Amino acid sequence: MLNLHRKWKQLSRLQRSLILFLLALLLILGLLSYPSITEQWRGLSDREDWLELNDPELKAAPPGVKPVLGPAAGDAPAPAAGPHLEPAVVLDVVVDPRGPNVPILPKPPIKKKTFPNRRGPPNLQKDGNVSDTVGGEKQEQEAVQEEEGEEEGKEKKIVSWRGAMIEADQATEPPPSANEKEAAAPPAPVNPADTVPLEVSTGPADRLEAVRDAFRHAWKGYKDHAWGHDELKPISKSFSEWFGLGLTLIDSLDTMWIMGLKEEFAEARRWVEKELSFDKNVDVNLFETTIRILGGLLSCYHLSGDQLFLEKAKDLGSRLMPAFKTPSKIPFSDVNIGKGTAHPPRWTSDSTVAEVTSIQLEFRELSRLTQEPQYQEVVNEVMKMVHTLPGKHDGLVPMFINTNSGQFTHKGVFTLGARADSYYEYLLKQWIQGGKTEDDLLEDYLQAIEGVKKHLVRKTGPNMLTFIGELSHNRFNAKMDHLVCFLPGTLALGAHNGLPGDHMDLAVQLMETCHQMYVQMETGLSPEIAHFSLQSSDGRDVVVKPADRHNLLRPETVESLFYMYRFTKDTKYRDWGWDILQNFNKYTKIPDGGYTSINNVRDPVNPGPRDKMESFFLGETLKYLYLLFSDDMKLLSLDKYIFNTEAHPLPIWPSPPK
Ligand code: DMJ
């Protein structure tokens, strides 16, 4: 120090002034850049917080994705919903297109852990007007699973799920020969008399008009800032890509038709005709592409009779077929629709059970329309295998299935939420679609509902609310994803089709619980995941952990409200749906256009907009609300149509002549 002081004294006055000037300059520059530095670090620490959570229950489930339960989740970091973000911060953040809205900083200064890639090729993981992201997965985002080897009953490390970058190096098998399979049902081209006229139905005019207004508002944002892209980012007025196939536009088509929005429909149809091409070198997720795009196109064909939609559906269906070329015939999660290659996620050879068993309605219908049996054959084969597979628990299925062995993996964990949910839904719906003749489907469905009642149904201590929990290696977890709220509607649909009356009783009780998941929150909107109190001494029935407080504009509760109203005509279900719509308008509507997912349903002052509008908000949520308020019971009669898991109606097949 003394030395330094001596040297300083030896300098000329000019030299000292120059040094002092430079130091002052550096100080000023540092101060000027301080806000952006702190901002970035603040965001980073948010992310680190959840990366380092040790309590698996506190780990966020990536939006749209379902959290991996209990021990099976191991200590892997499932992306959690980040802590509450101020809108200004949200604008600086790139939201992972596939990942359930996990904010990802453009250039984090420090990276403690890395996640496996998410779905979609890197070149598509870009947001409009925004720099590259780290990559993400479907709200999908879904976390990905990292699995090295498999042992029965042993808990596996789950890192994240879904997603996939691809390595087209998986062993393949020749496609199943047509003569091994049952013959496809006879084709049934759309009869113009069977199409649904593009007219507005009558009903409580104010509520119907309010839903139509909400749709127009959402569509305006999409049209202004994301036209032809996958998803709108309504706050930053940009877009995100997942597959680069105009996801929101296609998911929305039949909603516009049903709502009588003729101009919007015509304009979107022109885009499909002129711009939509599946001849792209892009990896898509088989399940998501099937339910949203294939399902949307088939539904539009049925509603409008317009051949364009069937042609597009055929093109897409044939491009998805390579997914089934696996050793086991259980399809890979991802397909490159341009190259004709398929592969599982990089970190595993497993597929998700819900994904491989929830593409059947669409592929079966495609075969019926085209008279080409191969689509129906490949998906029927999956159901046939799952029907006899060991590892079920009174009809309940594990969440993963291996594409090499064809066996369930990560056994012992059972949920009606993410990764298993639509397996149960599609058992019933395939049975109905096919004219209630396929007994294995019915048997599996009935057995599964018995399994649900036996192992997963419980009541809360405080107010005896019935809920569906999860089972992890015989340990009950009182946790229910919002996704499970599809179940009341499915149970009611089964009862309507002649299944046991106690299914309807359970539906009524669960509908009340899903309603409570909304009304007990300060915003009147449900969290992504709820925990339920089992002790009567507990203060409240519904408890929400900080990482689970987000709302992605999901449809399941309004979907079930639609079924419950159609079958009971109890107007309370309409009132509950009306409250939900109003709260979406209050807390998620972006003034210039569009709606956004939010971070915190418990903070009405700052719900934390996430800057993302999922395509299912237009494809499902608003459609079901519209149908809920419509008095026209013939509009998509549930005796004539079956809705796929993305709310795209497909016809129930006519019975063959006797
Ligand atoms: C949709 O894509 C479908 O409803 C799917 O079955 C579950 N996830 C979303 C909506 O929440």
Side-chain angles (χ1 to χ4, degrees):
M1 199 63 189
L2 268 179
N3 212 15
L4 206 63
H5 182 71
R6 204 174 301 125
K7 285 196 172 152
W8 174 257
K9 288 274 177 201
Q10 287 167 357
L11 294 175
S12 71
R13 174 172 291 197
L14 183 66
Q15 284 171 318
R16 277 188 253 161
S17 303
L18 201 60
I19 288 170
L20 286 173
F21 174 75
L22 284 172
L23 285 174
L25 195 64
L26 279 173
L27 187 67
I28 290 167
L29 285 175
L31 284 174
L32 283 177
S33 62
Y34 175 73
S36 61
I37 289 172
T38 51
E39 193 97 308
Q40 205 170 51
W41 276 85
R42 193 174 68 204
L44 175 70
S45 66
D46 284 350
R47 185 155 185 232
E48 286 176 329
D49 281 347
W50 57 259
L51 282 172
E52 296 187 343
L53 286 175
N54 287 322
D55 179 355
E57 295 296 348
L58 291 178
K59 285 173 186 166
V65 180
K66 300 354 178 196
V68 176
L69 301 184
D75 55 2
H84 173 89
L85 293 175
E86 301 298 322
V89 174
V90 171
L91 290 176
D92 285 346
V93 162
V94 175
V95 174
D96 175 350
R98 272 13 25 239
N101 317 312
V102 177
I104 295 176
L105 294 171
K107 288 176 186 169
I110 297 175
K111 200 170 172 193
K112 289 198 123 181
K113 296 185 184 179
T114 55
F115 287 107
N117 56 320
R118 286 54 175 220
R119 168 165 321 167
N123 64 331
L124 282 182
Q125 302 297 348
K126 293 183 179 178
D127 292 349
N129 308 336
V130 189
S131 60
D132 290 1
T133 72
V134 172
E137 146 47 6
K138 165 197 176 170
Q139 59 205 214
E140 308 157 335
Q141 335 155 343
E142 337 274 35
V144 181
Q145 159 198 24
E146 178 176 282
E147 178 210 349
E148 305 296 341
E150 168 69 16
E151 276 177 58
E152 168 89 40
K154 196 166 175 193
E155 297 169 10
K156 301 297 175 203
K157 187 176 181 186
I158 305 290
V159 174
S160 77
W161 68 290
R162 264 200 214 156
M165 288 260 64
I166 311 326
E167 286 131 30
D169 56 357
Q170 300 296 317
T172 58
E173 266 193 8
S177 80
N179 58 13
E180 286 170 6
K181 319 289 178 210
E182 62 192 78
V190 166
N191 176 346
D194 293 339
T195 59
V196 175
L198 202 165
E199 286 169 10
V200 174
S201 64
T202 56
D206 49 347
R207 290 185 175 184
L208 275 181
E209 199 46 44
V211 187
R212 212 180 283 118
D213 282 349
F215 183 93
R216 284 197 198 97
H217 186 81
W219 189 248
K220 177 184 185 306
Y222 177 75
K223 190 176 163 188
D224 288 351
H225 306 297
W227 183 253
H229 297 285
D230 283 345
E231 290 144 341
L232 169 69
K233 295 173 60 126
I235 299 173
S236 53
K237 301 191 192 318
S238 62
F239 57 84
S240 57
E241 295 289 31
W242 186 0
F243 309 134
L245 297 174
L247 195 61
T248 295
L249 188 148
I250 300 174
D251 226 359
S252 304
L253 280 165
D254 59 5
T255 305
M256 292 187 273
W257 184 272
I258 292 162
M259 290 183 177
L261 299 172
K262 300 181 185 184
E263 281 173 25
E264 291 87 345
F265 180 87
E267 192 175 14
R269 185 218 178 267
R270 277 196 293 280
W271 184 87
V272 172
E273 182 182 23
K274 304 234 179 301
E275 307 290 338
L276 178 62
S277 169
F278 297 121
D279 190 12
K280 291 178 108 163
N281 177 9
V282 57
D283 286 315
V284 303
N285 173 273
L286 171 67
F287 164 72
E288 299 292 352
T289 306
T290 298
I291 66 169
R292 301 190 196 209
I293 302 184
L294 184 58
L297 292 168
L298 289 172
S299 155
C300 272
Y301 170 62
H302 280 294
L303 296 179
S304 67
D306 188 334
Q307 201 68 19
L308 168 71
F309 298 115
L310 180 58
E311 291 306 321
K312 291 289 181 188
K314 280 198 276 193
D315 184 26
L316 177 59
S318 65
R319 291 170 183 275
L320 293 175
M321 288 297 276
F324 296 87
K325 292 183 182 175
T326 69
S328 65
K329 297 182 184 166
I330 297 297
F332 288 134
S333 59
D334 295 82
V335 193
N336 187 304
I337 53 175
K339 289 186 185 165
T341 55
H343 41 77
R346 198 166 51 188
W347 48 88
T348 179
S349 54
D350 286 355
S351 285
T352 297
V353 170
E355 292 194 356
V356 303
T357 56
S358 308
I359 49 180
Q360 279 67 14
L361 293 176
E362 300 82 357
F363 275 74
R364 284 155 50 114
E365 179 61 9
L366 187 59
S367 272
R368 194 178 73 94
L369 291 172
T370 59
Q371 288 186 275
E372 294 175 18
Q374 67 269 26
Y375 306 112
Q376 176 158 359
E377 288 169 357
V378 291
V379 295
N380 279 355
E381 181 67 19
V382 175
M383 295 312 297
K384 215 166 85 187
M385 291 173 65
V386 171
H387 176 63
T388 56
L389 218 48
K392 290 187 204 164
H393 189 40
D394 291 328
L396 304 176
V397 290
M399 298 184 293
F400 298 101
I401 187 165
N402 190 270
T403 52
N404 292 318
S405 67
Q407 300 295 309
F408 289 127
T409 65
H410 299 86
K411 296 180 199 167
V413 181
F414 303 99
T415 175
L416 264 281
R419 301 180 185 144
D421 49 359
S422 43
Y423 161 73
Y424 304 99
E425 177 188 350
Y426 268 38
L427 286 175
L428 177 73
K429 289 183 172 178
Q430 287 177 80
W431 178 68
I432 295 171
Q433 178 192 44
K436 306 187 206 176
T437 59
E438 296 154 288
D439 295 341
D440 286 354
L441 294 168
L442 177 61
E443 184 190 311
D444 287 350
Y445 178 73
L446 290 173
Q447 199 191 2
I449 299 306
E450 288 311 303
V452 168
K453 287 193 285 183
K454 185 169 170 191
H455 301 291
L456 304 183
V457 172
R458 294 279 195 289
K459 285 188 190 295
T460 61
N463 290 299
M464 301 290 283
L465 290 180
T466 302
F467 69 96
I468 306 284
E470 298 178 339
L471 205 60
S472 181
H473 305 285
N474 294 319
R475 194 170 53 109
F476 183 77
N477 188 356
K479 161 180 169 289
M480 179 169 147
D481 296 346
H482 181 271
L483 285 173
V484 181
C485 289
F486 81 92
L487 191 60
T490 296
L491 288 168
L493 180 64
H496 176 73
N497 279 277
L499 302 190
D502 69 342
H503 287 203
M504 191 62 187
D505 299 339
L506 182 56
V508 169
Q509 293 166 24
L510 290 173
M511 192 74 262
E512 170 69 38
T513 302
C514 291
H515 168 59
Q516 290 298 325
M517 285 166 63
Y518 282 72
V519 298
Q520 293 196 15
M521 298 301 116
E522 287 79 350
T523 57
L525 293 174
S526 170
E528 176 74 357
I529 299 169
H531 286 75
F532 291 91
S533 305
L534 294 170
Q535 308 302 325
S536 52
S537 54
D538 290 334
R540 51 196 306 168
D541 297 285
V542 186
V543 176
V544 188
K545 301 196 173 181
D548 302 334
R549 292 179 176 172
H550 46 293
N551 179 294
L552 305 184
L553 313 171
R554 285 195 188 280
E556 289 77 19
T557 293
V558 294
E559 169 185 354
S560 284
L561 289 172
F562 157 66
Y563 284 101
M564 296 302 286
Y565 179 75
R566 279 268 171 121
F567 297 137
T568 67
K569 299 294 182 303
D570 186 334
T571 54
K572 78 179 176 194
Y573 297 126
R574 281 183 160 179
D575 295 340
W576 293 355
W578 178 240
D579 290 343
I580 292 172
L581 176 63
Q582 287 179 303
N583 289 322
F584 277 138
N585 279 332
K586 197 164 172 189
Y587 296 108
T588 72
K589 189 173 179 179
I590 302 301
D592 291 344
Y595 288 75
T596 180
S597 302
I598 56 173
N599 275 327
N600 192 351
V601 295
R602 305 220 51 189
D603 186 351
V605 176
N606 192 346
R610 285 188 158 197
D611 197 16
K612 181 168 182 177
M613 183 174 77
E614 301 278 353
S615 77
F616 51 67
F617 182 62
L618 293 87
E620 297 193 73
T621 309
L622 294 177
K623 182 188 291 156
Y624 282 128
L625 281 167
Y626 186 83
L627 293 172
L628 171 66
F629 299 140
S630 170
D631 280 340
D632 182 358
M633 296 299 131
K634 292 196 178 131
L635 179 62
L636 300 172
S637 158
L638 291 171
D639 294 318
K640 292 190 172 160
Y641 288 90
I642 197 82
F643 286 81
N644 86 342
T645 193
E646 188 75 7
H648 297 303
L650 300 172
I652 294 172
W653 297 346
S655 312
K658 303 213 162 142

